[in-house]
């Protein structure tokens, strides 16, 4: 059982199956906790001194309990730093490549060239080709979505 769980942990760390990276981290933490519990269950064999097992379990319980405030503090730190720094992109330009691709690039160049314009503009062709990363960038790292409406905006490329 332990080998299956360790193999699963290695697969999760290698392939990162979840779309959001935090979900991969949470999955790995929960699976690591399960590995600890399964490992500790081997200590409850009749031949083992129960005082040693009880002391070891208490120590593990204290470690896990001490980890909770650390995780909360880390989450608060991340939230505060994210609020201070802000999102890396101020605008994302959504467009249909064939219909308004050139206009989107021109709009980006004109806005970025203005001295009173603050922030960075992101166009999907400038970013990653992986759609999961692109969805994350648009959803979590961009302040404003600019949609260049055209007749072909909601059509799929043929």
């Amino acid at each position: 059982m332990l080998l299956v769980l360790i193999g699963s942990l290695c697969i999760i760390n290698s392939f990162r199956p979840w779309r959001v990276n935090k979900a991969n981290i949470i999955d790995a933490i929960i699976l690591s906790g399960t590995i600890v519990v399964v490992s500790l269950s081997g200590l409850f064999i009749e031949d083992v001194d129960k005082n040693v097992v009880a002391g070891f379990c208490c120590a593990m319980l204290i470690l896990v309990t001490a980890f909770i405030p650390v995780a909360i503090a880390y989450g608060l730190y991340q939230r505060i730093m994210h609020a201070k720094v802000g999102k890396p992109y101020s605008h994302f330009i959504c467009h249909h490549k064939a219909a308004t691709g050139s206009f989107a690039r021109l709009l980006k160049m004109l806005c970025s060239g203005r001295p009173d314009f603050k922030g960075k503009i992101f166009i999907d062709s400038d970013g990653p080709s992986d759609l999961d990363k692109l969805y994350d960038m648009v959803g979590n790292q961009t302040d404003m979505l600019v949609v260049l409406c055209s007749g072909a905006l909601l059509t799929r490329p043929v």
Side-chain angles (χ1 to χ4, degrees):
M1 180 69 175
L2 192 60
L3 292 176
V4 171
L5 291 174
I6 291 174
S8 178
L9 183 63
C10 292
I11 289 171
I12 288 172
N13 287 332
S14 298
F15 295 109
R16 304 222 176 247
W18 302 109
R19 179 174 290 185
V20 180
N21 192 36
K22 289 180 182 178
N24 290 313
I25 293 170
I26 290 171
D27 193 10
I29 289 171
I30 291 172
L31 192 55
S32 299
T34 306
I35 290 171
V36 169
V37 169
V38 170
S39 299
L40 292 177
S41 66
L43 297 174
F44 289 99
I45 300 174
E46 295 295 327
D47 300 74
V48 178
D49 183 17
K50 292 186 180 188
N51 290 330
V52 172
V53 172
F56 186 73
C57 288
C58 286
M60 293 305 291
L61 182 64
I62 290 170
L63 282 175
V64 169
T65 306
F67 179 73
I68 292 171
V70 170
I72 291 172
Y74 177 73
L76 290 174
Y77 172 76
Q78 288 292 325
R79 182 174 288 269
I80 290 169
M81 291 309 293
H82 182 69
K84 278 185 181 179
V85 174
K87 296 181 179 182
Y89 298 102
S90 62
H91 295 80
F92 172 74
I93 299 177
C94 174
H95 65 285
H96 185 270
K97 287 190 192 318
T100 55
S102 299
F103 180 68
R105 182 68 58 190
L106 177 66
L107 182 64
K108 178 182 177 181
M109 289 171 34
L110 291 174
C111 289
S112 298
R114 293 181 54 117
D116 58 341
F117 186 82
K118 305 247 186 306
K120 290 173 26 179
I121 299 175
F122 175 68
I123 298 178
D124 59 354
S125 56
D126 295 342
S129 59
D130 183 18
L131 284 179
D132 291 336
K133 290 180 182 175
L134 181 65
Y135 291 151
D136 181 56
M137 289 178 79
V138 173
N140 299 320
Q141 300 178 15
T142 304
D143 282 328
M144 188 176 300
L145 176 67
V146 177
V147 180
L148 300 180
C149 296
S150 66
L153 180 67
L154 299 177
T155 62
R156 293 177 55 121
V158 180

